[in-house]
Amino acid sequence: MSLERDDGDHEDAPRGGGLTTGEVARRLGVAPTTVRSWDSRYGLGPTAHTGGRHRRWTAVDVARLERMCALTATGLAPAEAARMALGGVGPEAPTPQAGSVGPVRSPRPAAGGRSRAVTGLRLGDVRQECKGVARAALRLDAPALDGLLNAAIEEHGLVAAWSEVIMPTLQAVGRKWESSGERYVEVEHFLSWHVSGVLRRHTPPAVADRRGATTVLACVPAENHTLPLEVLAAALAERGLPVRMFGGALPVESLVAAVRRTGPVAVGLWAQSRTTASRPLAQHVAAIEWGVRGARRKPVVLTLGPGWAGQTVPGSPHPPGLAQAVTAVESVALR
């Protein structure tokens, strides 16, 4: 899991002498916990402290983190990318272009870090762990699958394990299912069930509801793909943010009632398909007011999932991935 610690980094710390961890994270487009994890695990922390225990990042520190981001974007394992970033290797490392087919191939990852082996599935250029997860899923080996999924989360943290191990394997199984008629449906269901179970085991106890700080997560009506919302709920709970998860295919009237009863700061609406995404629904939820007279508030609606592609909703962020969704919720919940 991502490492948390009280290192004296606060958003309201005195200005001067560099950037806070939160400011650096926003500049890089990652979660603050990711920056702290890179510091704890790989020594990519700030070179100096300013104002007692307040941690400040200089331009040199930020440049090193930018190299780390660029190198991991090429497919390098974080540990190898950190080694190269600390050594000053690859300051101009290329990043994938929008719409590119796959990750940039150079520099090549260290042996054992990635795998192109298909294992009966079209995995592509993915982490080595994907191969083991795919094999366990194809064998319907429950103990092995649970062990591999748990190990991935403990090794890489929840967000990275989802983005780099679990999701690529789920996508490969889905492609196999689509290309094989009705075959492999049991593999997809089996893998999804175990991913859901592992996510629940790694989700901290629910945080007490705080009106004006809670995030409501729900699938739009007729949408039942809940796994992406489950991992988002777990990632938010990991950061101490209150979440209310309503799962699949929540009727409109129930969604409206939930928003009015909880008074959320944000509402995440998941749509896997363009046929289920509804711009009028998102606009309706964004217009719901709650709170006492004279201090009425409205939630920020996040349109989540590929179904919203091409359906821009004014004022509603559309984060492209899990890390960006976590950052978007944090930005509105903690301001």
Side-chain angles (χ1 to χ4, degrees):
M1 310 297 286
S2 295
L3 300 177
E4 295 279 5
R5 70 166 184 252
D6 181 7
D7 57 11
D9 176 66
H10 302 287
E11 293 303 320
D12 56 355
R15 301 290 303 174
L19 301 175
T20 67
T21 298
E23 290 168 335
V24 170
R26 285 192 291 273
R27 175 173 293 191
L28 298 175
V30 301
T33 49
T34 298
V35 177
R36 297 190 186 104
S37 177
W38 287 349
D39 178 10
S40 299
R41 295 182 181 184
Y42 311 121
L44 289 170
T47 53
H49 288 70
T50 302
R53 297 173 61 234
H54 299 304
R55 299 169 65 80
R56 293 290 179 173
W57 301 76
T58 67
V60 173
D61 299 328
V62 174
R64 191 165 53 239
L65 291 180
E66 289 174 341
R67 286 197 296 271
M68 177 71 171
C69 289
L71 289 165
T72 55
T74 70
L76 278 178
E80 177 66 9
R83 184 188 68 78
M84 297 177 69
L86 286 168
V89 178
E92 301 298 331
T95 55
Q97 298 299 312
S100 64
V101 175
V104 179
R105 301 300 185 192
S106 178
R108 292 182 61 82
R114 313 283 289 185
S115 171
R116 293 194 181 110
V118 294
T119 318
L121 301 174
R122 297 194 303 274
L123 286 171
D125 185 14
V126 295
R127 282 192 174 276
Q128 183 70 24
E129 293 96 325
C130 294
K131 181 178 178 181
V133 172
R135 281 177 171 170
L138 288 169
R139 294 198 311 267
L140 304 182
D141 187 337
L145 184 56
D146 277 355
L148 290 167
L149 293 171
N150 276 303
I153 292 174
E154 291 168 2
E155 171 68 18
H156 304 296
L158 188 61
V159 173
W162 169 261
S163 301
E164 301 176 21
V165 178
I166 297 172
M167 188 171 63
T169 310
L170 284 166
Q171 290 173 335
V173 171
R175 290 192 297 268
K176 190 71 172 180
W177 175 9
E178 291 175 356
S179 65
S180 305
E182 292 301 314
R183 297 179 59 199
Y184 297 99
V185 174
E186 74 283 0
V187 176
E188 193 273 341
H189 282 232
F190 180 76
L191 178 57
S192 296
W193 173 261
H194 282 271
V195 169
S196 181
V198 168
L199 288 175
R200 287 179 181 273
R201 287 194 292 275
H202 283 270
T203 301
V207 180
D209 198 3
R210 299 197 304 273
R211 197 167 180 82
T214 298
T215 297
V216 165
L217 299 177
C219 291
V220 298
E223 181 60 73
N224 288 293
H225 290 78
T226 62
L227 268 184
L229 283 188
E230 291 178 47
V231 70
L232 176 56
L236 295 176
E238 187 179 54
R239 288 154 176 77
L241 298 175
V243 179
R244 293 298 170 265
M245 171 69 163
F246 292 91
L250 188 65
V252 173
E253 59 272 17
S254 300
L255 174 61
V256 171
V259 171
R260 287 176 172 159
R261 289 175 61 182
T262 58
V265 67
V267 177
L269 298 178
W270 179 270
Q272 183 76 16
S273 168
R274 293 188 180 185
T275 61
T276 60
S278 170
R279 184 187 291 112
L281 172 62
Q283 292 173 326
H284 179 62
V285 173
I288 297 176
E289 294 184 336
W290 55 267
V292 298
R293 184 176 299 176
R296 307 286 283 175
R297 297 179 60 183
K298 299 177 182 180
V300 174
V301 173
L302 280 69
T303 56
L304 306 173
W308 296 99
Q311 297 200 51
T312 303
V313 180
S316 295
H318 178 55
L322 175 60
Q324 294 87 347
V326 172
T327 300
V329 172
E330 285 184 317
S331 68
V332 297
L334 301 179
R335 66 186 177 188

